[in-house]
Amino acid sequence: SNTPSNRVRDIFKYYIDHGTKIALASGRPLAALKNLFEDFSDNLIYICANGTKIVIGGETVSVSPLANKKELASIMEIVRSLKCDFMVDTINCTMVENTVSEEFYYLLKKSDIEVTRVNDVGDYWNQVLKISLDSSPAGPFEFIKNPLLKEIGGNYTLIPTGGRFVDIIGKNVNKGTAVRTLQRLYDIKSNETIVFGDAMNDVDMFDTSLNSYAVNTAVTSVLKRAKSTILPPNEDGVARCLARFI
């Protein structure tokens, strides 16, 4: 949600004050996530861009660049042949090429995503973490069947997100690997970890915890991977669930 309820904010503050580590895991870039909880944003951990970047206390502790210069050039050739809008998350910002439609550009701005326009994202190959393809109007589950996407190769993962995007990330990089990084860093066990998700880019996190919850409105393939379900965000599902552990 772009506007977390007071109930969510209060429960997060309670857990943080009692020493619990809370990580926001999203396909979105860091700046958009920090805006959700501005008054205590530095007390949160951020798993950004589907696990390709981890930020703790304002410091970036992990980044997973997508490809080398030659590989990225090949990927971008395929991406451009799809003739869809796309954005690229880099280490420092979100980029779109100057050929992007104005409708798509303003959609990103409306979603609180700061966007930098460039001529060719390939010029920033060593900073690219993730490519997000706009799947509209087909939708991500139909768009991902496009045979052109099969040409991207086995070193990368294509994953539908909870919205209109299909993301291209490194094969062994996802929200789940990011959670495991944090578990090792803080010596937190799977039975001490609680994860919540509602989309296909969340299911790898479910494997890191004995306490995994999917939003009950999620698609069947997501629901099957979680141990249990919670109410949707507009009914404060996360906050209601966390309150039970107090």
Side-chain angles (χ1 to χ4, degrees):
S1 171
N2 288 330
T3 55
S5 70
N6 288 334
R7 189 171 189 171
V8 170
R9 300 174 71 83
D10 289 344
I11 200 75
F12 277 18
K13 286 179 180 178
Y14 174 88
Y15 272 95
I16 289 170
D17 290 344
H18 287 76
T20 300
K21 305 296 183 184
I22 295 183
L24 300 185
S26 175
R28 304 177 76 187
L30 176 63
L33 295 180
K34 293 191 73 170
N35 287 340
L36 296 176
F37 299 93
E38 290 184 277
D39 51 334
F40 57 97
S41 62
D42 288 340
N43 295 319
L44 295 168
I45 298 169
Y46 300 94
I47 297 173
C48 317
N50 276 337
T52 60
K53 180 177 178 177
I54 303 174
V55 177
I56 302 174
E59 296 292 329
T60 300
V61 299
S62 174
V63 291
S64 301
L66 179 62
N68 63 37
K69 187 174 184 178
K70 182 179 179 180
E71 291 168 342
L72 185 64
S74 297
I75 293 172
M76 292 311 304
E77 183 177 354
I78 296 169
V79 167
R80 294 185 183 106
S81 72
L82 294 167
K83 299 189 183 305
C84 66
D85 284 321
F86 62 90
M87 64 179 176
V88 174
D89 282 319
T90 73
I91 294 173
N92 298 312
C93 66
T94 297
M95 295 181 178
V96 296
E97 294 189 336
N98 288 323
T99 53
V100 72
S101 71
E102 289 303 308
E103 177 187 2
F104 184 71
Y105 178 76
Y106 285 110
L107 169 71
L108 299 182
K109 299 289 286 185
K110 185 178 178 181
S111 301
D112 208 20
I113 296 175
E114 293 296 326
V115 182
T116 300
R117 289 179 181 261
V118 298
N119 288 324
D120 184 352
V121 297
D123 293 338
Y124 306 88
W125 64 270
N126 59 337
Q127 300 179 40
V128 173
L129 303 177
K130 174 175 73 79
I131 302 171
S132 297
L133 311 175
D134 184 6
S135 68
S136 62
F141 291 99
E142 286 300 316
F143 184 87
I144 203 170
K145 298 175 185 177
N146 190 312
L148 286 173
L149 291 173
K150 295 181 180 179
E151 299 179 20
I152 288 177
N155 291 327
Y156 309 97
T157 298
L158 284 84
I159 186 167
T161 69
R164 61 196 284 174
F165 295 105
V166 171
D167 283 356
I168 304 172
I169 56 178
K171 185 176 182 179
N172 298 312
V173 181
N174 52 61
K175 293 182 185 180
T177 57
V179 171
R180 288 191 175 92
T181 296
L182 296 175
Q183 287 173 326
R184 290 192 298 269
L185 181 63
Y186 292 110
D187 192 24
I188 296 174
K189 300 178 177 59
S190 60
N191 64 344
E192 299 171 323
T193 305
I194 305 173
V195 297
F196 303 96
D198 64 356
M200 286 304 298
N201 60 337
D202 295 317
V203 296
D204 291 299
M205 290 195 300
F206 294 165
D207 297 333
T208 70
S209 171
L210 298 180
N211 308 287
S212 57
Y213 296 86
V215 174
N216 61 11
T217 54
V219 297
T220 302
S221 53
V222 174
L223 294 172
K224 286 181 177 179
R225 293 283 293 271
K227 300 289 192 303
S228 190
T229 61
I230 58 169
L231 295 170
N234 63 340
E235 298 182 55
D236 285 333
V238 170
R240 290 173 183 267
C241 180
L242 289 176
R244 301 204 304 264
F245 292 94
I246 295 177

